[in-house]
Amino acid sequence: MDQITLDGLRNSPVQAFQHLIEGRHVHASDGGQMNIISPIDGTVLTTTAKGTVADMEAAIRSSRAAFEDRRWSGQPPAARKKVMMKWAELIEANALELAVLGVRDNGTEIGMAIKAEPGSAAATIRYYAEALDKIYGEIAPTSSDVLGLIHREPIGVVGAIIPWNFPMMIGAWKLAPALAMGNCVVLKPSETASLSLMRMCELALEAGLPPGVLNAVTGEGAVVGAALGQSMDVDVLVFTGSGATGRRLMEYAARSNMKRVYLELGGKSPNIIFADAPNLTEAAKVTAAGIFRNSGQVCVAGSRLLVEASIHDDFVAEVVKATQAMRVGDPLRLDTDIGAVNSQAQLDQNLSFVETAQSEGGQIVTGGTRILEETGGYYMDPTIVTDVKKAATLSQQEVFGPVLAVTPFTTDDEAVDLANSTVYGLAGAVWTSNLSRAHNMVRRVRTGVMHVNTYGGADGTVPLGGVRQSGNGSDKSLHALEKYIDLKTAWIKL
Ligand code: NAD
């Protein structure tokens, strides 16, 4: 990556963003705007439209009309594929600009953002573009006087509500399969990280996506997000974010048109280290990265470290060493390992979790405080808390920040019991050289994803989804397409 270009983009003025409705930039109906604060230094970066209920309704009307006149689903698959491939190409061509814009908006360190945001978004869009002309209907094995056909049809209007930690990556996980299957989408990005995703939507139009097929409305979740959730004209809601909002979306669906709701929620993912792990030094480094990259604002972050008691002290010392070697600071520096916390509110919440952990008997072995306050930005020293009990707040509640809870165990059964002792079930890991133990732990720990002798890094070929209160349905892989397809039977008497 070219450092000069990066530095050039660092201070470049950022346009004011409006909604994208029917292929046009549209101001909020009442002219409202929101200031977008950069977590790098706490200054105002730009503004976005502060959407109203009327704005959201206009976007939904536009997507509905686009779906009904089949301007997208009616095109030959090869034509839709061409548009989506072009979209991926444009994202790659603008990768640095998109990544820097996103980092200035949400604080993720650039080294991670460049791969995880434009890189991953382009790969996801290409994956579903390539898949879209390989999805066939079926012929049922009926008796010979009947023809039973199973059609796969787009569902209609998809509402997609996206969080702030990886807006482009998570945005693409929803938009790409939904559009690939011929649906139309209304997108609601997060109020604290919408810029790169809005820019990505502009590129979709440039690639040839017909106006109205993808509309995007910025604004507050409680206003425009709620209007999307409560709409009688949205068929599916796909969401990544907090459990509290997920609960509301289910309520909105029940109170309106019983739209389908697919939720990707938080986690409290266990990272389980056995004394027979193949390489404890490597495990310690990956453990630190697995919780602290992007300031812990990763849904699958390994936020609970469960360590076999016989190696507890030595292993914790290794993780502390690896953590203290990570550089926290300006996310636009290429040598930064941990960038900024997304907002003042998130930083305050992280610090209050640390206070509670101490009051419940946890011992802070490194970190625990805000740092670099003189920059005006929101930075937190990565924090490790030991002696965290099974029932402690830090074991049970998601921080979504750079805070690692450490708990020892002595037997495999105890490790499983601790791992399964929260309401969540998103991700986890087991580190061991024992093949049977590895497979048994994968089976017994109730999560959507289990890593063995690593943490994180799964690519687009495998599903990501939570079980229990971490959500339902999956993003990524061909399985994600199921959320965006209706099966229709044609029963034909011959
Ligand atoms: P959040 O729930 O506060 O916000 C997510 C989105 O929902 C935002 O766009 C927001 O505007 C919108 N929203 C808020 N209130 C709403 C309402 N009443 N009606 C409709 N929409 C509303 O979550 P967040 O703080 O942006 O993200 C952090 C959370 O997301 C964490 O809990 C994290 O674990 C989770 N997350 C999960 C995954 C996953 O794949 N499972 C990935 C990333 C983040």
Side-chain angles (χ1 to χ4, degrees):
M1 200 188 310
D2 183 347
Q3 181 75 44
I4 296 166
T5 312
L6 186 60
D7 284 342
L9 288 169
R10 165 193 293 277
N11 296 312
S12 61
V14 179
Q15 65 181 86
F17 279 79
Q18 313 302 340
H19 307 313
L20 272 182
I21 301 177
E22 200 63 24
R24 287 188 297 272
H25 294 108
V26 176
H27 290 272
S29 56
D30 63 0
Q33 295 183 334
M34 296 192 300
N35 280 340
I36 301 301
I37 309 289
S38 175
I40 298 178
D41 54 11
T43 58
V44 175
L45 187 55
T46 185
T47 58
T48 62
K50 186 174 183 185
T52 61
V53 171
D55 298 337
M56 182 49 85
E57 285 171 351
I60 295 168
R61 268 199 309 278
S62 165
S63 288
R64 172 55 59 192
F67 183 71
E68 296 303 336
D69 70 18
R70 299 168 53 85
R71 72 186 76 159
W72 178 240
S73 64
Q75 291 190 24
R80 286 190 275 128
K81 176 180 186 167
K82 201 168 163 195
V83 170
M84 290 188 66
M85 294 298 251
K86 177 76 188 166
W87 186 18
E89 216 178 90
L90 288 176
I91 291 170
E92 274 173 353
N94 291 278
L96 188 59
E97 177 216 316
L98 285 163
V100 174
L101 182 63
V103 169
R104 292 173 76 187
D105 196 7
N106 82 343
T108 303
E109 54 277 3
I110 186 74
M112 176 176 241
I114 194 87
K115 282 190 228 133
E117 286 283 274
S120 159
T124 298
I125 292 165
R126 199 166 275 136
Y127 179 91
Y128 290 108
E130 284 168 350
L132 74 81
D133 56 0
K134 297 168 191 70
I135 307 291
Y136 290 75
E138 293 164 36
I139 300 177
T142 57
S143 60
S144 60
D145 59 342
V146 162
L147 178 61
L149 298 180
I150 304 169
H151 293 278
R152 291 192 155 76
E153 302 199 321
I155 301 174
V157 175
V158 174
I161 303 181
I162 307 299
W164 44 259
N165 54 341
F166 293 100
M168 295 182 67
M169 176 175 79
I170 296 174
W173 287 350
K174 320 284 190 200
L175 301 182
L179 292 170
M181 291 298 101
N183 298 280
C184 294
V185 181
V186 179
L187 170 72
K188 153 65 183 92
S190 166
E191 41 278 68
T192 62
S194 53
L195 307 184
S196 55
L197 185 51
M198 291 301 284
R199 182 76 195 106
M200 188 171 110
C201 293
E202 290 176 354
L203 294 177
L205 294 171
E206 240 177 78
L209 197 70
V213 172
L214 169 59
N215 292 303
V217 175
T218 51
E220 292 175 348
V223 179
V224 285
L228 186 60
Q230 289 164 357
S231 170
M232 294 297 288
D233 225 5
V234 170
D235 303 291
V236 186
L237 262 187
V238 286
F239 170 74
T240 294
S242 64
T245 305
R247 231 176 253 280
R248 281 204 190 95
L249 298 183
M250 293 180 104
E251 231 181 278
Y252 296 157
R255 286 181 199 283
S256 54
N257 61 345
M258 296 190 283
K259 58 181 70 64
R260 279 171 238 174
V261 181
Y262 295 105
L263 306 172
E264 298 268 0
L265 309 172
K268 195 77 213 182
S269 299
N271 181 21
I272 307 167
I273 317 286
F274 283 95
D276 65 1
N279 180 338
L280 287 168
T281 306
E282 172 67 10
K285 281 190 192 147
V286 177
T287 292
I291 172 64
F292 295 130
R293 295 302 304 273
N294 199 17
S295 295
Q297 302 164 143
V298 179
C299 56
V300 296
S303 54
R304 283 187 300 149
L305 174 60
L306 308 181
V307 197
E308 192 163 354
S310 60
I311 57 160
H312 176 277
D313 294 355
D314 290 346
F315 189 73
V316 170
E318 288 268 17
V319 181
V320 169
K321 193 168 136 203
T323 302
Q324 290 174 347
M326 295 176 89
R327 192 184 168 282
V328 187
D330 179 356
L332 286 174
R333 280 184 57 155
L334 292 173
D335 59 354
T336 292
D337 299 304
I338 303 173
V341 172
N342 179 251
S343 63
Q344 176 79 55
Q346 186 66 39
L347 177 63
D348 292 345
Q349 188 178 302
N350 295 347
L351 294 170
S352 108
F353 266 108
V354 173
E355 238 174 70
T356 306
Q358 277 177 299
S359 73
E360 293 178 354
Q363 304 296 318
I364 295 180
V365 291
T366 189
T369 53
R370 178 178 188 174
I371 53 172
L372 303 172
E373 200 168 346
E374 67 283 4
T375 61
Y378 317 128
Y379 300 91
M380 182 163 168
D381 207 3
T383 303
I384 300 179
V385 186
T386 59
D387 302 284
V388 180
K389 301 280 177 292
K390 178 173 158 183
T393 307
L394 203 58
S395 286
Q396 296 298 322
Q397 291 183 25
E398 183 184 44
V399 179
F400 215 57
V403 184
L404 178 64
V406 187
T407 308
F409 67 85
T410 48
T411 63
D412 291 39
D413 285 348
E414 194 190 356
V416 171
D417 177 57
L418 285 167
N420 290 337
S421 69
T422 73
V423 296
Y424 295 110
L426 189 54
V430 55
W431 297 75
T432 176
S433 299
N434 179 325
L435 190 63
S436 302
R437 169 180 270 163
H439 283 291
N440 279 323
M441 295 302 285
V442 166
R443 286 183 183 180
R444 294 179 69 194
V445 177
R446 282 180 284 167
T447 59
V449 181
M450 274 301 275
H451 306 92
V452 177
N453 295 334
T454 187
Y455 203 99
D459 69 15
T461 61
V462 288
L464 170 65
V467 299
R468 303 156 87 204
Q469 289 187 35
S470 286
N472 65 313
S474 298
D475 283 329
K476 306 201 299 171
S477 83
L478 294 181
H479 291 285
L481 295 173
E482 291 154 21
K483 296 190 291 191
Y484 305 101
I485 297 171
D486 266 338
L487 296 181
K488 177 186 272 178
T489 295
W491 188 257
I492 302 163
K493 185 89 178 80
L494 299 179

